[in-house]
PDB file of all heavy atoms in Angstrom:
ATOM      1  N   ALA A  23      33.282 -47.556  41.612  1.00 98.00           N
ATOM      2  CA  ALA A  23      32.582 -47.647  42.867  1.00 98.00           C
ATOM      3  C   ALA A  23      32.639 -49.109  43.358  1.00 98.00           C
ATOM      4  O   ALA A  23      32.896 -49.351  44.595  1.00 98.00           O
ATOM      5  CB  ALA A  23      31.155 -47.145  42.707  1.00 98.00           C
ATOM      6  N   ASP A  42      31.213 -58.890  37.438  1.00 98.00           N
ATOM      7  CA  ASP A  42      30.991 -57.922  36.350  1.00 98.00           C
ATOM      8  C   ASP A  42      30.742 -58.729  35.106  1.00 98.00           C
ATOM      9  O   ASP A  42      31.338 -59.807  34.876  1.00 98.00           O
ATOM     10  CB  ASP A  42      32.248 -57.027  36.128  1.00 98.00           C
ATOM     11  CG  ASP A  42      31.967 -55.803  35.411  1.00 98.00           C
ATOM     12  OD1 ASP A  42      31.632 -55.863  34.143  1.00 98.00           O
ATOM     13  OD2 ASP A  42      31.973 -54.689  35.999  1.00 98.00           O
ATOM     14  N   SER A 179      25.062 -50.756  31.253  1.00 96.00           N
ATOM     15  CA  SER A 179      23.837 -51.396  31.111  1.00 96.00           C
ATOM     16  C   SER A 179      22.851 -50.739  31.995  1.00 96.00           C
ATOM     17  O   SER A 179      23.132 -49.991  32.899  1.00 96.00           O
ATOM     18  CB  SER A 179      23.894 -52.941  31.459  1.00 96.00           C
ATOM     19  OG  SER A 179      23.761 -53.124  32.836  1.00 96.00           O
ATOM     20  N   GLU A 372      27.520 -44.046  39.930  1.00 98.00           N
ATOM     21  CA  GLU A 372      26.784 -43.291  38.893  1.00 98.00           C
ATOM     22  C   GLU A 372      25.357 -43.750  38.718  1.00 98.00           C
ATOM     23  O   GLU A 372      24.502 -43.039  38.156  1.00 98.00           O
ATOM     24  CB  GLU A 372      27.547 -43.462  37.572  1.00 98.00           C
ATOM     25  CG  GLU A 372      27.151 -42.408  36.568  1.00 98.00           C
ATOM     26  CD  GLU A 372      27.898 -42.609  35.238  1.00 98.00           C
ATOM     27  OE1 GLU A 372      29.124 -42.824  35.302  1.00 98.00           O
ATOM     28  OE2 GLU A 372      27.269 -42.526  34.218  1.00 98.00           O
ATOM     29  N   PHE A 385      34.283 -39.333  39.756  1.00 98.00           N
ATOM     30  CA  PHE A 385      35.028 -40.400  40.482  1.00 98.00           C
ATOM     31  C   PHE A 385      34.962 -40.211  42.034  1.00 98.00           C
ATOM     32  O   PHE A 385      34.854 -41.144  42.792  1.00 98.00           O
ATOM     33  CB  PHE A 385      36.439 -40.444  40.008  1.00 98.00           C
ATOM     34  CG  PHE A 385      36.623 -41.283  38.773  1.00 98.00           C
ATOM     35  CD1 PHE A 385      37.268 -40.791  37.654  1.00 98.00           C
ATOM     36  CD2 PHE A 385      36.084 -42.537  38.656  1.00 98.00           C
ATOM     37  CE1 PHE A 385      37.375 -41.496  36.484  1.00 98.00           C
ATOM     38  CE2 PHE A 385      36.163 -43.315  37.516  1.00 98.00           C
ATOM     39  CZ  PHE A 385      36.917 -42.764  36.438  1.00 98.00           C
TER      40      PHE A 385
HETATM   41  C1  FAD B   1      35.288 -41.197  28.360  1.00 95.17           C
HETATM   42  C2  FAD B   1      35.008 -40.955  29.803  1.00 95.17           C
HETATM   43  C3  FAD B   1      35.923 -40.198  30.525  1.00 95.17           C
HETATM   44  C4  FAD B   1      35.715 -39.937  31.827  1.00 95.17           C
HETATM   45  N1  FAD B   1      36.613 -39.189  32.602  1.00 95.17           N
HETATM   46  C5  FAD B   1      36.322 -38.921  33.866  1.00 95.17           C
HETATM   47  C6  FAD B   1      37.356 -38.283  34.701  1.00 95.17           C
HETATM   48  O1  FAD B   1      38.403 -37.950  34.173  1.00 95.17           O
HETATM   49  N2  FAD B   1      36.994 -37.931  35.971  1.00 95.17           N
HETATM   50  C7  FAD B   1      35.791 -38.259  36.518  1.00 95.17           C
HETATM   51  O2  FAD B   1      35.561 -37.993  37.709  1.00 95.17           O
HETATM   52  N3  FAD B   1      34.885 -39.007  35.834  1.00 95.17           N
HETATM   53  C8  FAD B   1      35.114 -39.330  34.538  1.00 95.17           C
HETATM   54  N4  FAD B   1      34.224 -40.085  33.833  1.00 95.17           N
HETATM   55  C9  FAD B   1      32.996 -40.606  34.525  1.00 95.17           C
HETATM   56  C10 FAD B   1      33.446 -41.797  35.446  1.00 95.17           C
HETATM   57  O3  FAD B   1      34.036 -42.726  34.612  1.00 95.17           O
HETATM   58  C11 FAD B   1      32.108 -42.435  35.997  1.00 95.17           C
HETATM   59  O4  FAD B   1      31.426 -41.451  36.714  1.00 95.17           O
HETATM   60  C12 FAD B   1      32.521 -43.564  36.969  1.00 95.17           C
HETATM   61  O5  FAD B   1      33.256 -44.579  36.266  1.00 95.17           O
HETATM   62  C13 FAD B   1      31.314 -44.127  37.614  1.00 95.17           C
HETATM   63  O6  FAD B   1      31.744 -45.247  38.380  1.00 95.17           O
HETATM   64  P1  FAD B   1      30.734 -46.428  38.661  1.00 95.17           P
HETATM   65  O7  FAD B   1      31.574 -47.456  39.332  1.00 95.17           O
HETATM   66  O8  FAD B   1      29.473 -45.988  39.247  1.00 95.17           O
HETATM   67  O9  FAD B   1      30.338 -47.007  37.181  1.00 95.17           O
HETATM   68  P2  FAD B   1      31.276 -47.596  36.065  1.00 95.17           P
HETATM   69  O10 FAD B   1      32.716 -47.194  36.270  1.00 95.17           O
HETATM   70  O11 FAD B   1      30.664 -47.321  34.811  1.00 95.17           O
HETATM   71  O12 FAD B   1      31.249 -49.188  36.422  1.00 95.17           O
HETATM   72  C14 FAD B   1      30.105 -49.932  36.215  1.00 95.17           C
HETATM   73  C15 FAD B   1      30.505 -51.388  36.057  1.00 95.17           C
HETATM   74  O13 FAD B   1      29.362 -52.229  36.112  1.00 95.17           O
HETATM   75  C16 FAD B   1      29.478 -53.179  35.067  1.00 95.17           C
HETATM   76  N5  FAD B   1      28.030 -53.594  34.709  1.00 95.17           N
HETATM   77  C17 FAD B   1      27.139 -52.871  34.051  1.00 95.17           C
HETATM   78  N6  FAD B   1      26.054 -53.613  33.897  1.00 95.17           N
HETATM   79  C18 FAD B   1      26.291 -54.847  34.458  1.00 95.17           C
HETATM   80  C19 FAD B   1      25.577 -56.018  34.607  1.00 95.17           C
HETATM   81  N7  FAD B   1      24.314 -56.055  34.106  1.00 95.17           N
HETATM   82  N8  FAD B   1      26.094 -57.166  35.218  1.00 95.17           N
HETATM   83  C20 FAD B   1      27.380 -56.998  35.658  1.00 95.17           C
HETATM   84  N9  FAD B   1      28.135 -55.928  35.586  1.00 95.17           N
HETATM   85  C21 FAD B   1      27.616 -54.878  34.956  1.00 95.17           C
HETATM   86  C22 FAD B   1      30.200 -52.526  33.919  1.00 95.17           C
HETATM   87  O14 FAD B   1      30.799 -53.477  33.088  1.00 95.17           O
HETATM   88  C23 FAD B   1      31.215 -51.649  34.755  1.00 95.17           C
HETATM   89  O15 FAD B   1      32.435 -52.337  34.979  1.00 95.17           O
HETATM   90  C24 FAD B   1      34.526 -40.454  32.548  1.00 95.17           C
HETATM   91  C25 FAD B   1      33.617 -41.190  31.780  1.00 95.17           C
HETATM   92  C26 FAD B   1      33.842 -41.471  30.415  1.00 95.17           C
HETATM   93  C27 FAD B   1      32.916 -42.291  29.651  1.00 95.17           C
END
Side-chain angles (χ1 to χ4, degrees):
D42 199 292
S179 86
E372 200 180 314
F385 278 128

